[in-house]
Amino acid sequence: MNAPQTPHALHFMPSAGFRARSKEVVDNPFLRQSFRGAMDFLMSKRAAQFPDPVELETLRTLGEQIRQYNLGKLPELLVQLESNLTRNGIQVHWAETPEEANQIILGLCQKHSAKLMVKGKSMVSEEIELNHAAEAAGIDALESDMGEYIVQLAHEKPSHIIMPAIHKTKEQIAKLFHENVPGVEYTDNVDALIQIGRNVLREKFLEADVGLSGVNFAVAETGTLCLVENEGNGRMCTTAPAVHIAITGIEKIVEKLDHIPPLYSLLTRSATGQNISTYFNMISGPRKAGEKDGPQEVHLVLLDNGRTQAYADEQLRKTLQCIRCGACMNHCPVYTRIGGHAYGTTYPGPIGKIISPHMLGLEATATMATASSLCGACGEVCPVKIPIPELLMRLREESFSAPHENPTMRGQGAGYNATVSAIWRGWAWVYRSPALYRLATWLGSRFNWLMPSKQGPWTSVRVPLKPAPKRLRDMLKERA
Amino acid sequence: MSARDRILARLNAAPVMNKPEPDVAAWFAEHRSEETPAEKAARFRHFIELAHAEVYSVSRGGWLQKLWEVLSAKQIGKLLVAPGTSHGQRAQSELSALGIDCPSYAEPIENWKETMFHDIPASFTAARGAIAETGTLILWPDADEPRLMSLVPPVHIVLLDAANIYNTLYETMQQEGWKNGLPTNSLLISGPSKTADIQQTLAYGAHGPKELVVLMIEENV
Ligand code: SF4
């Protein structure tokens, strides 16, 4: 696939071209300003939700323990979830790949002769590029979360997992609505814009044959799917159409309802700085006899897409603790400067860097883990204490070490370069021996005029590096 | 082998890392203190008002008068009710006499979806209970008070008995034994529908109700 010309394109792309896209955003003062402003806003809102550092720390520890406990029992919990959902009348499907997941979902749509599918916010549906597959199958897939609706109208992809249209100004959205929604005059009044979206989408909820949603937590003991949202579009998608299809990664499961309150509280407080979301929607079955609304059929698609690879390694398994709050993105100095589209992957920012390699292979994502200063902010704010910086180090090693037999990760060694490795080995060798080190620095200071004036990416924005004519050691000797 | 079996086989082949189950109850016992019913009612009110809901304190006998005042103030002449419930029954019989049209949710939605979406300005349901910590209403929609009543009409009016307010969601689940079985759909509602998807500017009435009104019965609290 060619690197796109603008920071956006209809498809997610592998992280090839990551550098070029990052540069484009860094050169755009408007985008930088809007991301900076948005991230500052989200950071301060989160901070206000956690006034008590002891409560925060103990709650994060509890969140971490809950996620690790449940991951420890994952295979058994999946079987329990399946049997309880089935008992409740919810049909369960399993998919190893995005293609399989799309086939299952579109197959269900075709079975019901569905023409229109309304979608609640679901990053997993973005991960499998469902909209694109639906389009190819002649089914209209319409995003109904306001942010998702906006990016879909603009033929873009979400640039943030919680706030999909965070890169857009209200003026841009005003223009988009004016040009794309029939009969709409230009207005950049936010309330008016939301009412326009509301009116368009209401008609779609009324018409739609199928509603699709993600899942925030699936509860094994009761066979319940939990959805967190503010707008009510998720409730519309899961209530108004005759068929509801939910899709989730296999990791989003908890054994007990008891595990929900701490995780739910961590999620909303970390994500948008709300003490709770407007809606928490618990779905434990399709419409029962005698009930007057709700879907006649409810389906759940459980997706692997690389998650079992992460699961197989004790350290990498921690990636699956994630509850997708987006706090790591909001606090990341790299994300704040380059925004979500530059990454090219469904999940941007720190969480994107640690999860995408399992989904796309290191062949496509080798450089992602290098886009970090390892400042540690992501790991500090993560509500379930994923050691993100540690995982980034691990992924760098997986990417850049020499390819070997039986690798833990698909694409291990994809970034390996024999020359670079040899240079680093030489460097290590010189630094281990005082005599060699002295000789090397002496040669460096004598022959500093030999340094080339072009030093790769370094000199594209900086003056060339040149060893000083006199070493520190020589200057100290002169003083003594 | 099916996709299911292959996924489970891979998970089962992974190293076993059993962790002890964390003590959620202990965390709540340590970090959340008990409150009196009056304190819970006040806290509930504080938080749901912050989320832009309107709350009125009413008595067991007097809520209908308040409901009438709210409808009049908002110039609403039609209210969707659930006559299968005692509060819905009362609203229907008494408000009709006052000139408010009170249609019932009598038929499956398929038979009147258009009308529901285009022609119902407000609805009236009860809440099963509420949560003080976050200002949250608990609704368990059923055959009498179906799911869409609390979602589609632009104004949603809820009757709540303040005696049913819990401290936390955790306490609610424990005391009501939710793990022994949940209805097809259960909901926590903490304000009118909202979004901040355009330039982080908060706007109400995204897809669900634009206004949420709580009539809180505070007798004996
Ligand atoms: S990695 Fe942690 S901070 Fe980032 S989205 Fe996941 S849970 Fe949130």
Side-chain angles (χ1 to χ4, degrees), chain A residues 359-468:
Chain A
M359 295 170 175
L360 304 166
L362 284 168
E363 303 92 328
T365 53
T367 56
M368 276 187 95
T370 66
S372 169
S373 64
L374 297 178
C375 72
C378 49
E380 255 168 53
V381 295
C382 177
V384 288
K385 290 196 164 182
I386 301 177
I388 302 173
E390 193 185 289
L391 293 174
L392 291 173
M393 296 288 282
R394 167 72 186 276
L395 292 169
R396 289 179 184 186
E397 200 177 300
E398 294 285 338
S399 293
F400 298 104
S401 59
H404 54 75
E405 298 269 303
N406 299 323
T408 339
M409 293 190 64
R410 189 152 62 89
Q412 182 271 325
Y416 176 72
N417 177 321
T419 318
V420 172
S421 287
I423 291 172
W424 281 117
R425 267 201 308 280
W427 181 88
W429 187 56
V430 168
Y431 269 62
R432 268 201 303 268
S433 147
L436 267 178
Y437 179 78
R438 230 171 294 145
L439 177 66
T441 50
W442 184 83
L443 286 170
S445 58
R446 277 332 105 97
F447 296 95
N448 63 358
W449 48 273
L450 278 177
M451 286 299 280
S453 60
K454 288 228 181 326
Q455 298 170 350
W458 178 264
T459 40
S460 69
V461 286
R462 297 177 192 83
V463 293
L465 291 170
K466 203 172 178 185

Side-chain angles (χ1 to χ4, degrees), chain B residues 176-220:
Chain B
E176 296 199 343
W178 284 13
K179 65 165 186 257
N180 303 322
L182 284 167
T184 49
N185 190 207
S186 42
L187 297 163
L188 305 181
I189 299 180
S190 308
S193 152
K194 65 171 182 255
T195 183
D197 272 355
I198 300 181
Q199 254 184 270
Q200 301 94 54
T201 309
L202 197 52
Y204 293 94
H207 293 291
K210 298 176 187 182
E211 295 175 53
L212 178 68
V213 181
V214 182
L215 306 180
M216 180 157 66
I217 300 172
E218 284 192 89
E219 265 176 42
N220 316 325

Side-chain angles (χ1 to χ4, degrees), chain A residues 161 321-329 350-351 354 378 381-386 388:
Chain A
I161 63 172
Q321 286 165 219
C322 177
I323 54 172
R324 301 284 191 273
C325 71
C328 55
M329 301 160 59
I351 176 60
I354 59 172
C378 49
V381 295
C382 177
V384 288
K385 290 196 164 182
I386 301 177
I388 302 173

Side-chain angles (χ1 to χ4, degrees), chain B residues 21-138:
Chain B
E21 188 177 359
D23 194 345
V24 179
W27 190 90
F28 279 94
E30 191 174 330
H31 294 273
R32 295 290 180 268
S33 48
E34 270 293 326
E35 286 180 316
T36 64
E39 284 168 339
K40 284 189 280 191
R43 223 140 80 87
F44 163 78
R45 184 188 190 121
H46 169 74
F47 281 112
I48 202 161
E49 280 180 348
L50 269 186
H52 223 72
E54 291 168 44
V55 181
Y56 300 99
S57 184
V58 293
S59 65
R60 216 166 291 283
W63 60 260
L64 200 109
Q65 173 64 24
K66 190 40 106 179
L67 177 57
W68 157 248
E69 286 169 22
V70 168
L71 292 171
S72 309
K74 295 185 188 295
Q75 298 184 326
I76 294 169
K78 195 193 260 187
L79 182 70
L80 180 67
V81 297
T85 63
S86 58
H87 53 275
Q89 179 65 52
R90 184 173 166 204
Q92 193 170 48
S93 63
E94 297 188 29
L95 288 174
S96 300
L98 294 166
I100 305 261
D101 181 12
C102 287
S104 324
Y105 198 142
E107 287 185 58
I109 188 63
E110 286 71 22
N111 301 349
W112 67 295
K113 218 174 189 177
E114 283 268 351
T115 313
M116 168 63 119
F117 274 75
H118 292 139
D119 206 23
I120 301 287
S123 65
F124 177 58
T125 74
R128 176 187 175 84
I131 301 166
E133 183 184 31
T134 47
T136 299
L137 295 164
I138 305 161

